[in-house]
Amino acid sequence: MAILAGAAALAYRLRFGNADLSLEYLRAIAHTLVFALLILNGSSLYRSWRGRGLVAEILKLTAQWALLFVVLLVYAAALKLTGDISRIWALGWFGLSLCGAVALRVGVRSAAHWVRERGLDLRSAVIVGANPDAQRILDTLRRSHWAGIRVRGWFATHADRGQLTGVPMLGGLDNLGGYVESSHIDQVWLALPMHEQAKISFALTQLEHSTADVKYLPDLFGMRLLNHSVDSFLGLPVINLRSSPLEGEARVVKAAEDKLLASLILLLISPLLATIAVAVKLSSPGPVLFRQLRHGRDGKPIEVWKFRSMRVHQEHEGQVTQATRGDPRVTPLGAFLRRTSLDELPQFFNVLQGTMSIVGPRPHAIAHNEHYKTLVDHYMQRHRVKPGITGWAQVNGLRGETDTLEKMAKRVRYDLFYLQNWSLAFDLRIIAMTVLKGFFGKNAY
C-alpha cells in the first residue's frame, strides 16, 4: 500500500513539478488502494514463496499489478473519469510502483537468504520413504541453504527402494507421529508409491494431531510426466499425470502469437518469397511448392508446404528417404535453401491456416513417425501441440538428418522439454535464437 501511494505521489511530482495532488488524483489513488486490497490479497502473492524461484514470483507480481491497473482503467472509463487524469502520470505510476514492488520483494528475499544461511528462520522437515525422487529433493534442499529447510532425517517403510544418504534414518513408520510431535517438525514429505495407499493413510493418521505441513512426493520414477498438476474435476481432487501444455488461456495466447507474428513476417518477406519462387521454377522442372503429409496436433494428418529443393522423383509407397550429404536429388539452389532454412518460409501460410505454429516440435514425415514411435520412448507425445517452423531442438543444433537412433532420441528429449516448460517468453526466446543462429545448420542437407 505504501509503495502504491508513494509511487503515485512521485509520478505526480515528476509529471507536474509539485506534490500538491488534486482531488481527482487523490480519488484515483484511494480507489486503487481499495482495488489492491481485493485483488492482491486474493492472489497467491502473500502465501509462502519459500523454495520457489524469484523469476516466478516476479512474473506473478507483474501479472497481478497489470490486472490491478486494468481494473482501475475500466472503472475510470465506466465513470467517465479518464479525461480528468493524465495518462502519462498513470503510466509513470504503474512503472514506478511495479519497480518498487519488485525491489521490495528482491530485498526481502535477499535478507531472508542472508538470515537463513546463518541458521535463522529455518523450517525443519523429515522424509517418509526412500526412492530416487526423495534423494533428489533431499540433495536439492541440502544445497539450497537459502530456502531455509533443514531435513532432520528419514523414516523407513517396507515400500522403500534403497536408502537415503546424507541424513540419518530416524526409525520406522510407526515412530513418525511421536517424533514429529516431540521435535516440533514443520514439514513432513511423504515419498511413497501411489499404490501404497494403506501406508499413506497410516502416516496421515499418525500426523492427525500435528500441525506440520504434509507434502506428498509420489514415487513416479521412470514415468514421463507432461505438465502434471493437481486439479479439481466435478468437485473431486485429481492429479494430471499427462496433459497438453496449451489449454485454456495458454491456447488463446499461443494462437494470437502465431497469427500476429505470421502476418507480420509474411508482409515483410513477401518480396523474398516471390524471388525464391521464381528461382525454384527456373532451377529445375516441377512445381514451386513441395507438399507433404505430416502429423499435426493430436496426430491428425496435415499438409505442410515447403519450397521444392529436390528434383522431381518417385518414392516407394510408404517410404520417405531423408536427404543426406551430397544427395544427388537436391538441386544446387535447393541445397542453399535447405542450409539456410529458406525452403521452410511457406510454412508461415500453414501457421495462418492454423495447422502449424511458429514455435513447436518440427513435423516429421508420417513414415518416419511410424518407424520411430516404437523405437524412441514417448516419441508421439511431441504431437500434443501443433508442429512448429522452428523449435527448441532446432536452435540447439538438432536439425537435418537423423541417421542414428540417438540423434532422434535427443531431438525428442528437447521437444518434450519444450512441452513441459512452454511459455510465451520461451517462444520469443526460441524465435530470437532462430533469427540469430538458427537459419544456418551444418546438418541440413
Side-chain angles (χ1 to χ4, degrees):
M1 297 299 104
I3 287 175
L4 273 171
L10 177 58
Y12 190 91
R13 185 176 184 85
L14 293 173
R15 175 67 179 88
F16 299 106
N18 63 77
D20 188 16
L21 280 78
S22 64
L23 182 60
E24 291 80 5
Y25 286 86
L26 289 174
R27 284 174 177 167
I29 296 171
H31 291 152
T32 303
L33 293 178
V34 173
F35 292 143
L37 286 172
L38 297 174
I39 294 173
L40 300 182
N41 281 333
S43 72
S44 60
L45 281 173
Y46 297 97
R47 300 173 189 169
S48 174
W49 283 84
R50 183 188 297 262
R52 286 194 272 177
L54 175 62
V55 173
E57 183 176 359
I58 291 177
L59 289 176
K60 180 73 173 180
L61 175 65
T62 302
Q64 293 297 316
W65 222 255
L67 175 61
L68 170 61
F69 276 83
V70 167
V71 169
L72 174 63
L73 179 63
V74 172
Y75 175 80
L79 297 183
K80 299 181 180 179
L81 303 175
T82 52
D84 301 327
I85 300 295
S86 166
R87 292 176 176 81
I88 296 177
W89 170 78
L91 185 61
W93 182 18
F94 172 77
L96 289 172
S97 59
L98 178 58
C99 289
V102 170
L104 174 64
R105 296 237 163 193
V106 171
V108 168
R109 272 185 174 254
S110 300
H113 293 181
W114 187 88
V115 167
R116 290 166 185 166
E117 286 179 346
R118 283 153 182 79
L120 302 173
D121 187 34
L122 302 181
R123 299 289 186 272
S124 57
V126 295
I127 297 176
V128 178
N131 58 52
D133 290 331
Q135 185 66 57
R136 278 193 288 271
I137 197 166
L138 170 60
D139 294 340
T140 301
L141 288 173
R142 292 178 66 202
R143 290 194 303 267
S144 306
H145 299 295
W146 55 269
I149 300 175
R150 299 292 183 266
V151 180
R152 298 276 189 86
W154 66 286
F155 290 85
T157 74
H158 295 300
D160 294 342
R161 292 193 289 119
Q163 294 188 342
L164 300 186
T165 59
V167 292
M169 187 178 73
L170 302 174
L173 190 56
D174 293 339
N175 309 118
L176 175 63
Y179 182 88
V180 168
E181 189 171 349
S182 63
S183 301
H184 305 288
I185 298 299
D186 299 303
Q187 296 181 359
V188 178
W189 292 73
L190 300 180
L192 295 167
M194 289 191 292
H195 64 268
E196 293 289 349
Q197 295 182 15
K199 289 184 174 62
I200 296 170
S201 179
F202 180 66
L204 292 175
T205 300
Q206 287 207 53
L207 300 171
E208 185 174 357
H209 303 296
S210 170
T211 58
D213 294 334
V214 181
K215 301 179 184 295
Y216 180 45
L217 185 69
D219 184 359
L220 302 174
F221 182 72
M223 293 187 183
R224 171 67 71 173
L225 304 184
L226 291 176
N227 307 290
H228 49 288
S229 60
V230 179
D231 202 355
S232 176
F233 183 74
L234 299 177
L236 300 173
V238 295
I239 300 177
N240 296 317
L241 298 182
R242 286 180 180 170
S243 62
S244 172
L246 296 173
E247 295 295 346
E249 295 177 359
R251 193 169 181 175
V252 175
V253 170
K254 180 75 166 174
E257 169 200 344
D258 285 336
K259 294 294 191 294
L260 180 63
L261 291 180
S263 300
L264 180 61
I265 291 171
L266 283 171
L267 184 64
L268 293 174
I269 67 172
S270 54
L272 178 61
L273 291 175
T275 302
I276 295 176
V278 172
V280 170
K281 193 65 178 176
L282 296 175
S283 65
S284 64
V288 170
L289 294 179
F290 171 69
R291 304 165 186 261
Q292 188 178 48
L293 286 180
R294 305 285 177 96
H295 277 136
R297 185 181 180 186
D298 297 328
K300 297 176 181 177
I302 62 172
E303 188 178 73
V304 175
W305 300 349
K306 300 174 70 172
F307 282 123
R308 181 174 57 84
S309 58
M310 291 185 175
R311 296 177 178 85
V312 176
H313 62 281
Q314 187 67 39
E315 290 273 14
H316 295 293
E317 185 176 355
Q319 178 181 342
V320 177
T321 307
Q322 285 186 320
T324 58
R325 187 185 298 274
D327 196 316
R329 299 172 300 167
V330 179
T331 65
L333 174 64
F336 171 75
L337 295 178
R338 295 172 75 95
R339 281 197 307 273
T340 58
S341 298
L342 293 175
D343 62 322
E344 296 168 0
L345 293 182
Q347 289 168 25
F348 284 105
F349 290 105
N350 290 123
V351 175
L352 286 183
Q353 284 181 333
T355 57
M356 289 184 66
S357 288
I358 293 178
V359 180
R362 284 294 298 156
H364 298 159
I366 291 179
H368 291 160
N369 289 338
E370 294 299 321
H371 174 70
Y372 284 111
K373 70 181 184 181
T374 58
L375 301 177
V376 178
D377 290 341
H378 318 295
Y379 179 88
M380 293 301 287
Q381 297 302 317
R382 60 199 301 277
H383 295 101
R384 287 182 173 272
V385 297
K386 293 178 183 178
I389 298 175
T390 184
W392 184 233
Q394 282 64 47
V395 297
N396 281 280
L398 300 173
R399 295 185 58 222
E401 183 186 13
T402 50
D403 53 349
T404 66
L405 190 61
E406 176 54 31
K407 285 183 179 180
M408 181 60 79
K410 190 174 182 180
R411 180 182 291 187
V412 171
R413 286 197 296 271
Y414 274 84
D415 289 337
L416 295 181
F417 179 87
Y418 171 76
L419 265 65
Q420 292 169 319
N421 297 276
W422 178 87
S423 69
L424 178 59
F426 195 15
D427 269 4
L428 296 178
R429 176 186 173 188
I430 292 172
I431 292 172
M433 292 176 68
T434 302
V435 172
L436 293 175
K437 69 174 185 178
F439 284 117
F440 293 88
K442 61 183 180 179
N443 297 323
Y445 309 135

